[in-house]
Every structure is written in structure tokens, then in C-alpha cells.
Amino acid sequence: MKKRYISFALIFLVLATVYILLFYKNKTLKFIPENADLVVLIDMKKVKRQYIYDWLMHPSQWSKISENNNETVSFRNSGVKIPDFLQIFHLKNSKFSNYYTVLELEDFQKFCTLLKKHQFVNKGIQGYVKDNLVVYVNKKYAVVGTSSNEFAEISGFLSKKNVDKNRNADQFMKGSLGSLSFISGKNMQNFSINLKDDEIEIKNEENSTNFQSLISDLNRKTQFLEAELDSENIRKISSFFKENIADSASVNHLKMSADLAEVNDTIISYGYDDNFNEIEKVSYQKIIQPNYEILLQTSDPNKTWSYFQNKKWINAQNQFTAIPFQPNLIYSNKNEIYIKSTGRSVKHDFKKQNFIFLKNNPLLYSSLKTLVGSHHKLVKDIDYIFYGNKSQDYVVKIKLKRTICHYF
């Protein structure tokens, strides 16, 4: 009888420990400022459970754990208190590329040592800097961001004592691994984030549209970029870049196709021979050049053309200078405006759906690898990115070439 009680106690203790480590969550969110207009929430307990499951399902990755651990920054033994929910936010009126998260510290010195180990450079009041990441550290917190512009504002938020800073995770997510939320005043629109074997999917919670047939068709035919958007999607996407082309330029439909090509670029330089006569030197280099065609349907072509001219996006040679890849040509035909590169033409294939499909291309990766720094391996591992919309259903899919387990 005594052995039975001991066995029962041990089983209860194990189950309680598993529950606390993998399931119990404190849903109070303390690190989302009141002026945040975008919040990404990650359920770390669910990430841990999914990692364990994926690890067990992919034995081939077991031997690579130590190799991956040397390349990534882990929460374990880092001096950071592992949060139940990782809270990433964007502040209203800040740059679109500025995102932050706040971490509680258990060991200030250990965390600083970790930053130095991963080649973060201490720049004093500017924080620790590496590539596109900046970390501000005090004895209690670490603020990690893609910029230091709002560190003072975030520090002021953290120091407030008489303000109710707490929110609840149930406001942002309902059972998914993560969520993406857009906040405007008291209104909030939530999108779930889920990980599949080799895919990240973001969609609104009531989504019932299946875009898989469209994705399969685009994946077969697209070399680099394909997009088709109505006025409402143009309005929403252009607002991220502080523009409103749909209204200001009366654009009600956009169709875009692009591919990449490697071409020879001629470089002409001048020097002098042994007799100090000026000579011309010709050399060649390989460059990546996109071939593209953009079709804009507009209810008022004159208004659209004037809008582009006022923005100084059309030069004297009728080139559209808002696109950095030159040369190109812009011209109008009835209620349509075309922007075309002067290279090989790109064929349009109208789907009559709202989507953006960006497919990874070896030429794209080779041209970007100097820009993305330490993230170049992740960029290389992306197969495609898809955005789709139908009625009130929205979805973003990021397809990877390797399983999610590989990145832990």
C-alpha cells in the first residue's frame, strides 16, 4: 500500500511539473505601451511544446542541435526570465521598421556577457548594437529593438508606477501559437499566427477561404513576383508607406509581374598609357536586373498622371523614377497606365483575385546577401511569401525550404 502511495505521489509530482513547465501561463501582459498600434504576441509555452513535438518527429535534426545552438541566441542560461508571452510592439507615429520587445532580467551581468559573446558592441547610451538590432539594458529590463529612437519613451513607460499597464493575452489571441494585432483607439483587429511543419501562417481568426489552389498555380508559374490588388487593398498596403495612391491618384486596380535576369554591365573608365596619352578602358561585370511590368487601372488617368508628376516620379524622358531600377517607361492608354522596364517583356496573367506572391530566386538571394547581414541564411531558406485577401478573409503564408524544427 505504501509503495502505491509513493508511486501515486511521484506520478502527481511529474504531471504537476509538466503542467507548470509546459502549460500553465500567466496571461498578464505588462510590456505593451498604451500608444502601441501593432502588437505581436508569441505563446512561449506553446512554442516549447511544438519544439519538443517537432524534435521528436525529426530524429535527423538531433545531431544538429549543438551546431544550431552556436548560431542562435537562446533564452536558457542567458540571465533573462523566460516570459510566458513574448510581447513585440510598434509605437504609433514611429517608423514602420521600428519594433521593440521588453525582457525581464534575472542576472544583469550574465545577460551582458551573452550580448558580448554574440558580438553585440557596447556603444554606451546608444546601447548594445549588432546589425539591425539594438539592446538597451538596465538592472531590471532589457529593451530589444530594431532602432534606438523610442528607447527613452519606452523607458518612461516602464518607470511609471501609478498607471495600469496590464493587459490580458485573451484580448489578443484564442488558442493559436501567436497573434498579430492592429490597434486603433479602442478597436483591435486580431490575426492568428500558427506554425506548421515548414510554414508560418498568419490569418484572421474567422478565416474560411482556402487559397491553396491559387498558391499552387502561382508557385508553378511565377519566377519572382506576381501581384494583383483592388483599390481597398492598395489603400491598406500603401498606408504603411504613408501614401494613399488609391484615393489621391484614383487607382482602383493594380497588376504587377516581375522576374530577374543576370546581365552584363559595361564599365567604361579612362587612364593613361606609358606616354601619358589618355586611353579608354572597357570592362564588364555581372549584375542582377529585374524585368517588370505594372498595370494601373484608374477612373481618372489625368488625375493619376498629375499625381505622379507632382510627386516628381515622372522625369522628362517619361521614366517612372519611384522605382529605383532603371531604365523604364511610363505611358497611358485610355483608363490604364503602364510602367515597363525596357528589357524583356513580362507576360500578364489576370487571376481576378487579391494577392501578392514573392518567390525566392537564387539571383535575388545573391543580390541581397550583403544587405541582410547575419539573417542571410534565413532569407535563403524562404521558398515563397504569399498574401491573399477575399472579402473579410486575410492570410499571409511564409513557406520555408526546411522544417521549423531546424531553426530552434
Side-chain angles (χ1 to χ4, degrees):
M1 182 67 72
K2 199 172 196 179
K3 289 183 179 180
R4 184 179 299 175
Y5 284 133
I6 293 173
S7 299
F8 176 78
L10 288 174
I11 292 172
F12 176 79
L13 184 61
V14 169
L15 291 177
T17 302
V18 170
Y19 173 76
I20 292 171
L21 291 177
L22 298 180
F23 292 92
Y24 173 76
K25 290 171 281 193
N26 180 355
K27 294 187 177 183
T28 301
L29 308 177
K30 300 187 293 182
F31 302 128
I32 301 176
E34 56 268 27
N35 62 332
D37 58 4
L38 184 152
V39 173
V40 176
L41 207 62
I42 305 295
D43 185 337
M44 298 300 288
K45 293 287 180 75
K46 202 158 192 172
V47 168
K48 189 182 294 184
R49 296 200 304 270
Q50 182 149 348
Y51 165 69
I52 293 171
Y53 173 80
D54 288 343
W55 183 76
L56 291 173
M57 292 297 102
H58 298 89
S60 61
Q61 298 294 329
W62 296 357
S63 61
K64 301 178 182 179
I65 289 178
S66 59
E67 176 186 338
N68 289 343
N69 283 344
N70 290 331
E71 297 176 355
T72 59
V73 179
S74 172
F75 277 120
R76 288 176 298 177
N77 301 316
S78 64
V80 172
K81 181 180 179 181
I82 300 176
D84 289 340
F85 292 91
L86 185 65
Q87 303 155 52
I88 303 168
F89 55 86
H90 175 272
L91 298 180
K92 187 177 180 180
N93 297 324
S94 66
K95 288 185 178 180
F96 175 69
S97 58
N98 292 2
Y99 295 88
Y100 304 91
T101 187
V102 178
L103 303 172
E104 285 189 271
L105 297 184
E106 292 180 327
D107 190 320
F108 171 80
Q109 291 298 337
K110 186 179 288 187
F111 182 70
C112 291
T113 300
L114 178 82
L115 292 176
K116 293 174 183 177
K117 176 184 175 183
H118 288 276
Q119 287 79 52
F120 279 82
V121 179
N122 187 352
K123 295 194 174 182
I125 60 173
Q126 297 180 36
Y128 289 83
V129 180
K130 179 184 177 183
D131 297 332
N132 298 320
L133 287 179
V134 186
V135 183
Y136 170 78
V137 185
N138 62 27
K139 297 295 182 181
K140 293 178 63 178
Y141 304 112
V143 182
V144 183
T146 57
S147 169
S148 61
N149 292 351
E150 282 75 41
F151 276 175
E153 184 177 349
I154 296 169
S155 180
F157 161 75
L158 293 173
S159 65
K160 290 180 181 178
K161 296 181 179 179
N162 299 322
V163 178
D164 182 12
K165 297 183 285 186
N166 296 338
R167 305 197 195 201
N168 191 282
D170 290 337
Q171 296 174 262
F172 297 88
M173 59 197 307
K174 297 178 181 178
S176 59
L177 182 140
S179 68
L180 169 65
S181 302
F182 295 94
I183 304 171
S184 178
K186 294 183 179 180
N187 298 320
M188 185 185 302
Q189 187 173 15
N190 296 329
F191 297 82
S192 64
I193 301 175
N194 287 294
L195 303 185
K196 299 182 180 178
D197 193 38
D198 57 354
E199 183 179 277
I200 302 170
E201 182 182 68
I202 305 170
K203 63 180 182 178
N204 53 311
E205 294 170 339
E206 297 80 19
N207 196 313
S208 60
T209 303
N210 189 338
F211 291 96
Q212 197 54 50
S213 176
L214 174 62
I215 293 172
S216 297
D217 186 45
L218 290 168
N219 197 27
R220 284 196 306 270
K221 298 178 180 179
T222 305
Q223 288 185 298
F224 172 47
L225 175 65
E226 194 83 18
E228 194 169 340
L229 301 170
D230 63 12
S231 59
E232 185 63 24
N233 279 272
I234 295 171
R235 184 178 296 108
K236 289 178 178 179
I237 292 174
S238 62
S239 67
F240 285 108
F241 305 98
K242 309 300 182 183
E243 296 287 347
N244 192 349
I245 295 176
D247 295 333
S248 302
S250 298
V251 175
N252 49 43
H253 194 270
L254 176 147
K255 178 72 179 77
M256 179 177 181
S257 298
D259 60 22
L260 299 175
E262 189 175 56
V263 298
N264 288 319
D265 183 41
T266 303
I267 302 173
I268 299 177
S269 59
Y270 295 89
Y272 295 90
D273 62 16
D274 294 339
N275 297 318
F276 298 100
N277 296 312
E278 188 178 63
I279 58 173
E280 182 180 275
K281 297 180 180 180
V282 179
S283 59
Y284 302 93
Q285 66 176 358
K286 297 279 188 182
I287 62 170
I288 309 302
Q289 182 172 294
N291 297 308
Y292 54 89
E293 181 171 330
I294 302 171
L295 169 61
L296 304 174
Q297 292 182 343
T298 170
S299 57
D300 190 341
N302 292 329
K303 181 180 178 181
T304 306
W305 195 271
S306 296
Y307 176 80
F308 290 161
Q309 286 182 323
N310 292 335
K311 286 284 187 178
K312 302 187 184 304
W313 289 349
I314 301 177
N315 63 18
Q317 291 75 41
N318 278 351
Q319 294 178 334
F320 191 71
T321 59
I323 297 177
F325 305 106
Q326 304 289 332
N328 62 32
L329 182 66
I330 180 171
Y331 62 93
S332 63
N333 181 21
K334 296 181 180 179
N335 68 331
E336 297 177 337
I337 292 180
Y338 292 86
I339 304 168
K340 292 184 177 183
S341 60
T342 56
R344 180 170 54 87
S345 62
V346 180
K347 183 180 178 182
H348 278 302
D349 182 16
F350 285 93
K351 304 290 184 184
K352 295 183 178 180
Q353 297 190 57
N354 289 300
F355 66 88
I356 300 173
F357 187 82
L358 180 63
K359 186 173 183 178
N360 207 343
N361 185 303
L363 296 178
L364 174 68
Y365 169 69
S366 65
S367 62
L368 284 181
K369 63 182 180 181
T370 57
L371 301 179
V372 294
S374 61
H375 307 294
H376 69 277
K377 289 184 179 180
L378 181 59
V379 173
K380 186 177 181 180
D381 285 344
I382 294 175
D383 188 10
Y384 63 75
I385 300 174
F386 171 83
Y387 161 81
N389 161 243
K390 184 176 181 181
S391 186
Q392 299 301 310
D393 290 344
Y394 296 87
V395 66
V396 173
K397 287 179 181 281
I398 303 173
K399 185 75 169 181
L400 302 172
K401 295 177 181 178
R402 293 191 274 189
T403 61
I404 298 291
C405 181
H406 173 83
Y407 302 98
F408 287 96

